[in-house]
Amino acid sequence: MTPQDFPRFDPEKPVAIIGAGVMGTKVAWACARAGISTRLYDVEPGKAASSIRLAQLWSAGAEADRVRQLLAAAPSLKEAQADTQLCFENVPERLELKRSVLADMGAVAPADAYLGSNASSLLCTPLAEASGRPERFFNLNFTDPRYGRLVELMISPTAAPQTIAFAKAWARAVGMVPIRTRKEQHGYVFNRLWRAIKKEVLRQISEGYATPQDIDRAWMLAFGTDIGPCGWMDDIGLHSILAVERVYFELSGQESDRPPKFLVDMVERGELGAISGRGFYQHPGAAYHQPGFLEAEDQA
């Protein structure tokens, strides 16, 4: 296979985002905001359309016009991927689910299209193999493109150099900055740092050492940020946090990696964070956005 067989990123050519959950919607919005024709597909009927209505609220003015014009729901996987340069998967963090979806994507995607995954904790190689085109496959894990610019890139040993170049070009085109994980590891680079913080935060809450609010106050005061770890977990979605924690527990089998029961219980009650209106905080209008949050007395 020659380099000419690997097209460069073309901002005039559409992309397909497969999976209209929290992150899939954010990635699709980032693409449309940047002027790229974007198709969003989800196996659940009506979900892509409702997610697009939500995404349209994130922009104003000329940007909102671009999102309305360029972001569309696709009626089928095949139609979503027709004539695209990239088909990017955003389904829940379960290895066999992702492998199944990627196999379906690879079977109907254009022959010269790249395939990618927004996996948070999984290695690239098993996903690349499932796609049927490992030389054109990459993992690119987004932070929230509404507020941050970090994406983490990871490839398998079978990826072509042109695939790396394409992934980086696409990331930059949608306003993100790619940081490459030089060797495959679960969780990339920053995500492993975030996981260590997240694990400790969950432990302290579970064992009664601190409230989510006080942990966030401490973080925000120490680092001068507008959000703390618990607020960030709410924004990501506690169901997604739980799914990733379960991956780490399955990998290690160590009790210290088992997701805490209170988190499991919250997810089972539908307390998923911002997406459901309740998690560690009530949404919208979470307490950490309100004046006086940092100075508030604890409730003990």
Side-chain angles (χ1 to χ4, degrees):
M1 188 170 293
T2 66
Q4 288 75 20
D5 295 319
F6 291 80
R8 295 182 179 181
F9 173 75
D10 182 353
E12 301 299 320
K13 197 167 182 181
V15 300
I17 307 299
I18 310 305
V22 175
M23 278 310 303
T25 304
K26 291 175 182 177
V27 174
W29 169 81
C31 291
R33 176 189 62 170
I36 301 167
S37 177
T38 307
R39 302 173 195 148
L40 182 61
Y41 172 75
D42 197 279
V43 68
E44 181 181 327
K47 185 171 184 179
S50 64
S51 294
I52 288 172
R53 288 192 291 271
L54 172 63
Q56 289 171 347
L57 301 176
W58 299 337
S59 298
E63 181 179 284
D65 291 338
R66 284 197 300 275
V67 172
R68 281 193 293 270
Q69 293 168 6
L70 295 174
L71 180 54
S76 70
L77 181 63
K78 186 173 182 180
E79 290 171 273
Q81 298 187 146
D83 301 318
T84 55
Q85 61 183 322
L86 168 66
C87 307
F88 193 68
E89 167 272 311
N90 282 267
V91 303
E93 192 83 358
R94 299 197 300 272
L95 176 60
E96 289 312 312
L97 173 61
K98 285 185 177 289
R99 282 175 55 85
S100 175
V101 170
L102 286 165
D104 291 342
M105 290 167 60
V108 297
D112 62 348
Y114 294 90
L115 265 64
S117 172
N118 197 21
S120 299
S121 57
L122 300 171
L123 296 180
C124 194
T125 291
L127 303 178
E129 292 170 347
S131 76
R133 53 186 81 185
E135 73 285 354
R136 295 175 185 263
F137 185 88
F138 59 90
N139 279 13
L140 196 66
N141 181 236
F142 281 71
T143 54
D144 192 329
R146 299 173 302 169
Y147 311 121
R149 299 178 63 203
L150 169 66
V151 289
E152 295 199 80
L153 172 64
M154 184 163 55
I155 60 164
S156 72
T158 54
Q162 294 85 353
T163 300
I164 302 171
F166 179 93
K168 289 180 175 179
W170 175 53
R172 293 192 179 276
V174 299
M176 308 299 282
V177 178
I179 301 298
R180 183 175 169 189
T181 302
R182 296 288 168 170
K183 298 190 295 183
E184 282 190 275
Q185 66 172 351
H186 291 279
Y188 305 80
V189 177
F190 175 77
N191 250 19
R192 289 186 71 90
L193 301 177
W194 162 234
R195 198 270 162 157
I197 294 163
K198 177 178 55 176
K199 178 182 175 182
E200 177 62 14
V201 166
L202 294 172
R203 184 193 70 80
Q204 292 201 32
I205 296 169
S206 177
E207 297 179 10
Y209 288 102
T211 65
Q213 293 74 24
D214 278 352
I215 287 173
D216 280 2
R217 288 188 186 99
W219 185 275
M220 294 162 70
L221 287 165
F223 295 107
T225 61
D226 295 328
I227 192 170
C230 296
W232 195 8
M233 283 191 274
D234 263 11
D235 199 59
I236 292 168
L238 298 185
H239 56 309
S240 296
I241 297 295
L242 177 58
V244 170
E245 290 305 296
R246 281 173 166 159
V247 169
Y248 283 109
F249 177 56
E250 289 167 3
L251 288 169
S252 73
Q254 297 180 7
E255 280 302 308
S256 62
D257 284 325
R258 184 186 293 277
K261 185 177 184 302
F262 85 85
L263 179 63
V264 176
D265 291 344
M266 289 178 72
V267 171
E268 289 180 350
R269 290 195 302 266
E271 297 172 9
L272 309 181
I275 193 174
S276 69
R278 181 169 183 173
F280 290 118
Y281 296 91
Q282 296 282 348
H283 301 269
Y288 55 82
H289 289 310
Q290 305 306 315
F293 174 74
L294 293 180
E295 296 79 13
E297 293 284 346
D298 64 48
Q299 302 302 307

